[in-house]
């Protein structure tokens, strides 16, 4: 028993923890302060992998740390268990996705327990359980009542491999699906949306509250995703078209330079305008539209692409100049941004310029970007008068002038600067009632319908005449049905459509109806799960507002940066909705966020296809849980990637053995007064106690581990060549090591704690609840001595310095002293003799 054997230690403690359920928070005392520490919950695909090993090691450090600081810590775990991988696996096996899902959950749960993350196992939830997803349906209905869930017909992103729609957020920058990798195409469908755009301003403005506690990168990604643009809406009358067409522009100052109008080919407006035109135009437009639909949004926005379009043979009237301008359809204008139509100002917008040059449309400069913007008159030399100035005319250079300048060719705006002209143009438009100040966002409403099986059924039915009828709350959950032999293969319509018995139903007032056969995007599930953890067994409500008041918002959220946009934005949105509905009193779900890096191998992301996977359970078998966890903490700053080829898990293991051995050497009895012990060692111990909290709170876990190593070294020395193993200061230091190690290496730490005589079989005597001791301030003060400084034999100053100070440093301090400088005055120094650490003699020239 005197050798560190991680297998024996793991086997010793796992059953103890299983029995004591130490991290259950069901009996949290009212008197203690609380923390809610949340790790992003896993998707149950296969067993845990090294990425999980990292996030759950780091999250656990935070949770265990706050417990040591005397907080009741809520640290729950569950499974995000709806979604496509289960469905695809089920198709392959011809089986119910439930089988695959719950088998994997059991496996992951066992691995998680083995990994000894300090979760509250009484609060486990699975989003695919009816007890969970019925509250997705509840949420949907609450939002439906408020007009925040609505159905519309629109062009959606279609994944041709998975045969389902995708949210904009699920389309990668290269236009492919983040699920299947297929090139995403557009398809027109009637789908359910959540009105996240109503919350765009709040989602953007409230990011300011998170400044400093969320990674800057995530904040900026969210800001860009929401993408607020400020400008004006301008109404253009179209000849022969009843309603005016509104365009959004960020540059109303350039109104007099608008020489044509462009509408998105895939907008309703374009179809209307074309249909009112000649047969030739209609045919050309139809052709063009088909081309455009094959392109991804990313392609269409690519500024370097050649511009294409068709003239619709329709004319618009500029509302300020009265000028008649041609209307085109072109795919560089997007149907679902702004109003899907623009006023084109080729002189000052590059895309418009490229288009105008391709189709020979007029280009008119309205901002002179060479005009001086200050009041000074430029000096014109003779040379300048003789030389032809280089032209800036965009029609010739092909370069749009986007900078500031003075307005020209613009009637009432002439002479104004860009920003003044923007204000004045908006005033003019508002006076005439043909425009107004306006904002536009890149953010789109959240499309939540999915044509797949393994998700939450949408609680809506439709009568024969197409009326939407929501389910009554007491009809929930609307369970996801399963029939043996059910065909889940993607066919472009939801598999639920094949279950006629389920689809055919009646409305609460007895009319025949059919159910919506789509299921909800699984991001709905994860948008509020942190609230369900507060009481996952409550069968009467989604969560208890009183519990939310006690625990939420989450104090610290930990997970991967891959969720920087989607999940975090949706969770923020739903939190604000719940706030507006009066269910919670806060508006942001996650007060602080930590993104861990990835675990890589030889500089490359691990993946099955590359064959460079490091298997989680194999690592645990070889090195032990604690060594793997400690390695995750020690590898570097948590935000950085960990290259598993560069770390030394054996090194971690050896260190744990060194620390553990100390606990068997201590001979001072439990409770021996440390104040009677060795002061030098105590200084090291108390420095550790005072420094580590700040390190952990700043997520410098690696430095925290390094400090623990230093303390272990100091104890080793104290035992071998200092006061010896019987000194009470040695006991104190080893106990502090056990508590410190409990953050990273729970088995080793509890074993040490028991060997030190503290564990009596109860939960309270586990090292996890030992408590972080207070550092004694008297032991933190460094030793100091007083050095006197004499000038020409007279004492002029006294300096508090370290006894280890060198002569040069002491001399420098003496020369820097104000009192000494005053004493010297303007005399010159002849000689300085420093005798560290006590005296400095300065002699001046007479
Ligand atoms: C006239 C103009 C003149 C514009 C000028 C720019 C410069 P951001 O900043 O990205 O919001 N626009 C508006 N709706 C569009 C759509 N559906 N598809 C493509 N482009 C669209 O860009 C706003 C500008 O993008 C708007 O201001 C409009 O062009 C264009 F010197 O209007 B601008």
């Amino acid at each position: 028993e005197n050798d560190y054997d991680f297998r024996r230690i793991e086997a010793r403690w796992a059953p103890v923890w299983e029995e004591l359920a130490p991290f259950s928070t069901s009996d949290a005392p009212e008197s203690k302060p609380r923390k809610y520490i949340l790790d992003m919950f896993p998707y149950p695909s296969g067993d845990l992998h090294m990425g999980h090993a990292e996030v759950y090691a780091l999250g656990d450090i935070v949770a265990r740390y706050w417990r040591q600081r005397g907080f009741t810590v809520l640290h729950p775990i569950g499974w995000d268990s709806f979604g496509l991988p289960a469905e695809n696996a089920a198709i392959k096996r011809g089986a119910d996705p439930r089988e695959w899902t719950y088998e994997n959950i059991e496996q992951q749960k066992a691995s998680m327990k083995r990994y000894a993350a300090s979760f509250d196992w009484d609060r486990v939830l699975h989003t695919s359980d009816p007890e969970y997803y019925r509250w997705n349906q509840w949420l949907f209905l609450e939002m439906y009542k408020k007009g925040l869930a609505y159905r519309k017909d629109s062009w959606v992103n279609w994944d041709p491999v998975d045969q389902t729609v995708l949210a904009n957020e699920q389309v990668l920058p290269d236009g492919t699906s983040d699920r299947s990798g297929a090139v995403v195409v557009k398809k027109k469908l009637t789908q359910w949306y959540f009105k996240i755009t109503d919350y765009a301003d709040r989602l953007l403005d409230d990011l300011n509250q998170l400044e400093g506690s969320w990674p800057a990168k995530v904040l900026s990604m969210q800001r860009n995703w929401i993408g607020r643009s400020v400008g004006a809406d301008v109404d253009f009358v179209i000849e022969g078209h009843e309603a005016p067409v509104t365009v959004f522009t960020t540059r109303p100052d350039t109104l007099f330079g608008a020489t044509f109008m462009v509408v998105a080919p895939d907008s309703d407006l374009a179809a209307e305008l074309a249909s009112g035109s000649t047969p030739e135009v209609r045919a050309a437009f139809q052709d063009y539209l088909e081309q455009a639909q094959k392109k991804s949004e990313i392609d269409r926005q690519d500024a370097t692409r050649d511009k294409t379009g068709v003239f619709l043979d329709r004319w618009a009237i500029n509302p300020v100049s009265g000028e008649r301008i041609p209307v085109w359809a072109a795919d560089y204008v997007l149907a679902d941004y702004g109003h899907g139509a623009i006023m084109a100002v080729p002189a000052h917008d590059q895309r418009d310029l490229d288009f105008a040059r391709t189709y020979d449309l007029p280009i008119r400069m309205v901002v002179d970007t060479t005009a001086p913007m200050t009041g000074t008159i430029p000096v014109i030399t003779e040379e300048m008068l003789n030389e032809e100035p280089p032209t800036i005319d965009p029609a010739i250079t092909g370069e749009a002038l986007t900078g500031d300048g003075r307005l020209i060719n613009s009637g009432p705006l002439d002479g104004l600067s860009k920003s003044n002209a923007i204000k004045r143009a908006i005033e003019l438009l508002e006076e005439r009632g043909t425009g107004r100040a306006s904002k536009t966002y890149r953010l789109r409403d959240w499309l939540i319908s999915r044509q797949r099986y393994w998700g939450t059924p949408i609680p809506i039915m439709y009568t024969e005449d197409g009326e939407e009828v929501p389910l009554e709350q007491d009809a929930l959950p609307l369970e996801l049905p399963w029939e043996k032999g059910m065909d889940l293969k993607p066919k472009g319509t939801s598999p639920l459509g094949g279950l006629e018995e389920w689809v055919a139903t009646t409305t609460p007032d007895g009319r025949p109806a059919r159910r919506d056969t789509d299921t909800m995007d699984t991001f709905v599930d994860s948008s509020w799960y942190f609230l369900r953890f507060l009481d996952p067994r409550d069968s009467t409500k989604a969560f208890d507002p009183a519990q939310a008041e006690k625990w939420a918002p989450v104090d610290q959220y930990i997970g991967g940066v891959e969720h920087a946009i989607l999940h975090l934005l949706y969770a923020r949105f739903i939190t604000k909705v719940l706030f507006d509905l009066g269910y919670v009193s806060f508006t942001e779900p996650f007060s602080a966020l930590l993104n861990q890096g990835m675990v890589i191998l030889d500089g490359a992301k691990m993946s099955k296809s590359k064959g460079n996977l490091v298997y989680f359970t194999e690592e645990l078998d070889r090195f032990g849980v604690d060594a793997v966890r400690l390695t995750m903490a020690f590898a570097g700053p948590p935000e950085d990637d960990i290259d598993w080829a560069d770390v030394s898990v054996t090194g971690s293991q050896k260190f744990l053995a060194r620390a553990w051995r100390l606990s068997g050497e201590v001979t001072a009895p439990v409770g021996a007064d440390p104040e009677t012990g060795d002061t030098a060692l105590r200084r090291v111990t108390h420095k550790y106690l005072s420094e580590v909290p700040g390190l952990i709170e700043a997520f410098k876990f690696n430095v925290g581990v390094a400090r623990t190593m230093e303390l272990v070294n100091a104890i080793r020395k104290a035992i071998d060549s200092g006061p010896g193993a019987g000194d009470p200061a040695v006991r104190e230091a080893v106990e502090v090591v056990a508590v410190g190690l409990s953050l990273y290496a729970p088995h080793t730490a509890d074993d040490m704690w028991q060997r030190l005589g503290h564990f009596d079989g109860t939960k309270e005597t586990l090292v996890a609840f030992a408590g972080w001791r207070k550092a004694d301030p008297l032991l933190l003060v460094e030793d100091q001595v007083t050095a006197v400084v004499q000038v020409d034999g007279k004492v002029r100053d006294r300096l508090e310095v370290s006894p280890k100070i060198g002569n040069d440093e002491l001399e420098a301090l003496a020369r820097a002293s104000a009192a000494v400088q005053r004493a010297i005055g303007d005399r010159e120094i002849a000689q300085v003799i420093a005798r560290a650490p006590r005296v400095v003699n300065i002699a001046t020239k007479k």
Side-chain angles (χ1 to χ4, degrees):
E1 288 240 332
N2 266 326
D3 251 354
Y4 180 75
D5 174 357
F6 71 81
R7 288 187 187 87
R8 186 185 58 73
I9 296 175
E10 286 176 18
R12 159 90 184 91
W13 290 98
V16 173
W17 298 331
E18 186 65 33
E19 192 195 309
L20 295 177
F23 308 113
S24 163
T25 32
S26 48
D27 56 351
E30 290 297 324
S31 57
K32 269 210 218 169
R34 295 160 192 251
K35 286 267 180 201
Y36 188 174
I37 310 296
L38 185 62
D39 309 334
M40 291 184 184
F41 64 165
Y43 183 81
S45 48
D47 198 0
L48 297 183
H49 53 66
M50 293 305 280
H52 294 121
E54 182 182 11
V55 64
Y56 298 120
L58 302 186
D60 212 36
I61 294 172
V62 180
R64 288 176 179 271
Y65 166 74
W66 286 110
R67 245 182 243 116
Q68 295 291 15
R69 298 304 304 264
F71 286 74
T72 303
V73 173
L74 177 58
H75 190 216
I77 191 72
W79 274 268
D80 190 12
S81 47
F82 266 145
L84 273 180
E87 190 159 341
N88 292 339
I91 292 167
K92 244 193 225 150
R93 301 161 144 208
D96 186 340
R98 285 168 187 80
E99 284 174 20
W100 184 90
T101 302
Y102 289 92
E103 275 166 23
N104 283 345
I105 288 177
E106 282 318 306
Q107 189 184 17
Q108 290 196 351
K109 196 176 287 176
S111 292
M112 210 96 98
K113 287 206 168 178
R114 176 175 180 195
Y115 203 49
S118 64
F119 292 126
D120 178 346
W121 289 104
D122 296 340
R123 294 180 190 248
V124 170
L125 61 80
H126 315 125
T127 58
S128 55
D129 292 349
E131 302 84 74
Y132 185 87
Y133 68 70
R134 71 172 288 180
W135 304 111
N136 288 339
Q137 295 169 336
W138 166 83
L139 178 66
F140 179 101
L141 293 171
E142 288 285 290
M143 291 176 70
Y144 181 76
K145 261 192 273 172
K146 293 279 169 197
L148 291 171
Y150 71 97
R151 215 157 61 114
K152 78 172 174 197
D153 228 25
S154 71
W155 292 102
V156 295
N157 303 306
W158 183 258
D159 180 331
V161 170
D162 278 340
Q163 294 270 315
T164 185
V165 302
L166 298 172
N168 281 349
E169 288 85 341
Q170 291 170 312
V171 183
L172 299 177
D174 65 357
T176 60
S177 160
D178 79 340
R179 307 235 54 132
S180 70
V183 174
V184 175
V185 296
K186 292 281 178 182
K187 187 166 170 170
K188 200 160 205 170
L189 283 177
T190 310
Q191 302 276 282
W192 283 97
Y193 289 82
F194 282 169
K195 214 167 188 180
I196 192 171
T197 53
D198 270 12
Y199 286 72
D201 276 324
R202 287 163 69 187
L203 286 168
L204 194 63
D205 296 339
D206 288 357
L207 288 173
N208 297 336
Q209 295 174 28
L210 304 173
E211 206 77 59
S213 37
W214 276 37
K217 184 175 157 202
V218 175
L219 294 177
S220 95
M221 284 167 84
Q222 293 234 340
R223 288 194 178 103
N224 289 333
W225 188 262
I226 298 165
R228 180 161 63 197
S229 282
V230 179
D233 279 350
V234 186
D235 306 329
F236 283 73
V237 169
I238 309 256
E239 291 177 0
H241 187 80
E242 210 169 316
V245 168
T246 305
V247 304
F248 172 73
T249 176
T250 47
R251 296 288 307 274
D253 56 316
T254 63
L255 245 164
F256 286 85
T259 52
F260 57 100
M261 176 184 255
V262 186
V263 298
D266 46 346
S267 63
D268 292 343
L269 176 65
E272 275 170 40
L273 293 178
S275 71
S277 197
T278 63
E280 295 77 45
V281 167
R282 279 206 297 276
F285 170 74
Q286 208 48 50
D287 246 24
Y288 185 70
L289 175 61
E290 275 159 32
Q291 295 305 312
Q293 273 161 2
K294 289 196 195 121
K295 290 180 195 150
S296 74
E297 193 152 320
I298 308 299
D299 254 358
R300 287 175 57 169
Q301 282 175 289
D302 178 0
T304 62
R305 205 171 48 89
D306 284 343
K307 297 282 177 295
T308 59
V310 279
F311 177 43
L312 296 177
D313 203 5
R314 307 291 301 256
W315 296 82
I317 310 294
N318 184 321
V320 288
S321 68
E323 191 181 3
R324 222 173 151 248
I325 59 175
V327 182
W328 287 66
D331 66 6
Y332 75 95
V333 173
L334 305 175
D336 64 353
Y337 187 67
H339 302 286
I342 64 157
M343 62 177 215
V345 184
H348 303 289
D349 181 281
Q350 192 61 47
R351 296 160 303 174
D352 297 344
L353 180 62
D354 296 341
F355 191 82
R357 281 160 52 99
T358 306
Y359 292 101
D360 236 345
L361 295 161
I363 297 164
R364 182 185 315 136
M365 256 169 72
V366 290
V367 184
D368 178 1
T369 54
T370 62
M373 296 308 298
T374 58
T376 54
I377 298 160
V379 181
I380 295 171
T381 62
E382 197 150 341
E383 242 173 285
M384 283 164 81
L385 283 175
N386 293 337
E387 237 174 62
E388 187 70 23
T391 183
I392 56 158
D393 184 353
I396 295 164
T397 63
E399 302 273 344
L401 301 168
T402 56
D404 202 352
R406 296 237 174 252
L407 273 282
I408 53 172
N409 301 325
S410 296
L413 304 179
D414 278 352
L416 296 177
S417 68
K418 175 170 154 181
S419 61
N420 284 335
I422 289 176
K423 280 187 216 129
R424 185 75 198 112
I426 292 175
E427 283 168 12
L428 282 175
L429 290 165
E430 286 180 346
E431 279 162 22
R432 296 174 193 201
T434 53
R436 61 219 64 87
S438 159
K439 285 182 283 187
T440 282
Y441 304 83
R442 207 154 291 284
L443 183 68
R444 299 277 78 98
D445 275 342
W446 175 11
L447 165 52
I448 60 138
S449 307
R450 294 290 180 278
Q451 292 69 49
R452 298 300 300 248
Y453 171 76
W454 192 228
T456 305
I458 292 175
I460 296 280
M461 57 184 98
Y462 308 98
T463 63
E464 280 163 353
D465 44 20
E467 186 195 337
E468 286 164 6
V469 180
L471 257 67
E472 314 254 303
Q473 288 287 3
D474 61 11
L476 301 184
L478 170 59
E479 285 207 31
L480 182 65
W482 172 252
E483 235 173 48
K484 225 176 144 45
M486 206 176 151
D487 182 13
L488 300 181
K489 271 190 217 74
K491 317 178 265 303
T493 57
S494 177
L496 286 176
L499 297 183
E500 184 55 27
E501 254 175 65
W502 183 82
V503 176
T505 182
T506 48
T507 64
D509 58 7
R511 289 173 291 158
R514 299 181 68 76
R515 296 191 190 283
D516 197 305
T517 56
D518 288 345
T519 53
M520 292 183 208
D521 180 4
T522 56
F523 277 108
V524 175
D525 312 358
S526 51
S527 67
W528 66 281
Y529 78 114
F530 67 100
L531 290 167
R532 186 66 186 164
F533 277 132
L534 303 180
D535 186 359
R537 311 281 163 265
D538 190 340
S539 60
T540 61
K541 49 195 171 313
F543 62 92
D544 181 357
Q547 290 289 324
E549 202 55 31
K550 275 189 191 162
W551 290 108
V554 172
D555 294 288
Q556 181 67 56
Y557 199 26
I558 300 125
V561 73
E562 66 274 18
H563 294 298
I565 299 176
L566 296 121
H567 162 57
L568 292 173
L569 191 67
Y570 294 149
R572 297 182 59 228
F573 162 51
I574 295 299
T575 301
K576 290 174 201 301
V577 170
L578 292 170
F579 173 85
D580 290 353
L581 292 169
Y583 291 111
V584 297
S585 65
F586 49 90
T587 54
E588 285 292 334
F590 311 122
S591 303
L593 173 68
L594 170 64
N595 288 142
Q596 85 283 2
M598 279 191 305
V599 185
I600 56 178
L601 192 67
D602 294 317
K605 203 173 157 168
M606 292 184 193
S607 77
K608 215 183 246 170
S609 57
K610 272 191 237 136
N612 66 344
L613 278 183
V614 172
Y615 287 94
F616 175 72
T617 43
E618 283 177 13
E619 295 300 288
L620 299 190
D621 291 347
R622 269 173 72 191
F623 302 109
V625 169
D626 286 5
V628 170
R629 292 177 52 141
L630 188 80
T631 304
M632 291 294 179
F634 190 49
E639 307 81 18
D640 292 0
D641 291 344
I642 299 177
D643 196 327
W644 207 246
D646 294 345
V647 299
S648 169
V649 197
T650 354
S652 300
Q653 207 181 43
K654 281 190 189 138
F655 162 65
L656 289 173
R658 270 165 71 78
W660 179 87
R661 255 179 250 124
L662 297 174
S663 64
E665 293 177 58
V666 168
T667 54
V670 175
D673 181 3
E675 294 203 15
T676 63
D678 179 63
T679 313
L681 178 60
R682 296 200 75 212
R683 283 186 195 285
V684 183
T685 304
H686 284 256
K687 195 160 175 250
Y688 178 88
L689 287 170
S690 95
E691 281 184 6
V692 169
L695 294 171
I696 301 297
E697 287 172 40
F699 308 132
K700 294 181 178 165
F701 309 135
N702 55 329
V703 187
V705 174
R707 293 279 182 276
T708 317
M709 293 174 170
E710 286 162 20
L711 180 55
V712 165
N713 289 342
I715 302 169
R716 184 76 267 154
K717 243 205 213 141
I719 293 177
D720 293 349
S721 52
D727 192 291
V730 168
R731 165 169 278 278
E732 178 189 41
V734 178
E735 290 184 352
V736 167
V737 167
V739 174
L741 273 184
S742 76
L743 310 189
Y744 324 98
H747 302 89
T748 310
D750 253 331
D751 214 56
M752 289 176 73
W753 202 239
Q754 180 175 39
R755 282 155 60 97
L756 288 163
H758 290 295
F759 181 62
D760 66 8
T762 60
K763 164 182 162 173
E764 294 70 29
T765 57
L766 288 167
V767 70
F769 303 99
W772 196 265
R773 291 185 195 167
K774 257 185 119 111
D776 180 346
L778 290 177
L779 291 167
L780 298 178
V781 187
E782 298 251 351
D783 270 341
Q784 293 211 317
V785 295
T786 307
V788 296
V789 187
Q790 305 191 28
V791 178
D792 298 329
K794 274 199 193 125
V795 174
R796 296 295 188 177
D797 201 0
R798 286 168 211 277
L799 305 171
E800 293 300 309
V801 297
S802 154
K804 292 181 213 135
I805 196 166
N807 283 336
D808 292 348
E809 202 186 331
L810 184 61
E811 178 181 333
L813 283 178
R815 282 174 180 266
S817 150
V820 169
Q821 285 173 4
R822 235 178 293 120
I824 294 171
D826 48 14
R827 280 171 293 161
E828 218 176 295
I829 294 174
Q831 194 186 28
V832 181
I833 301 167
R835 294 194 205 288
R838 293 287 178 197
V839 185
V840 184
N841 274 309
I842 300 176
T844 61
K845 277 194 187 147
K846 292 280 138 60

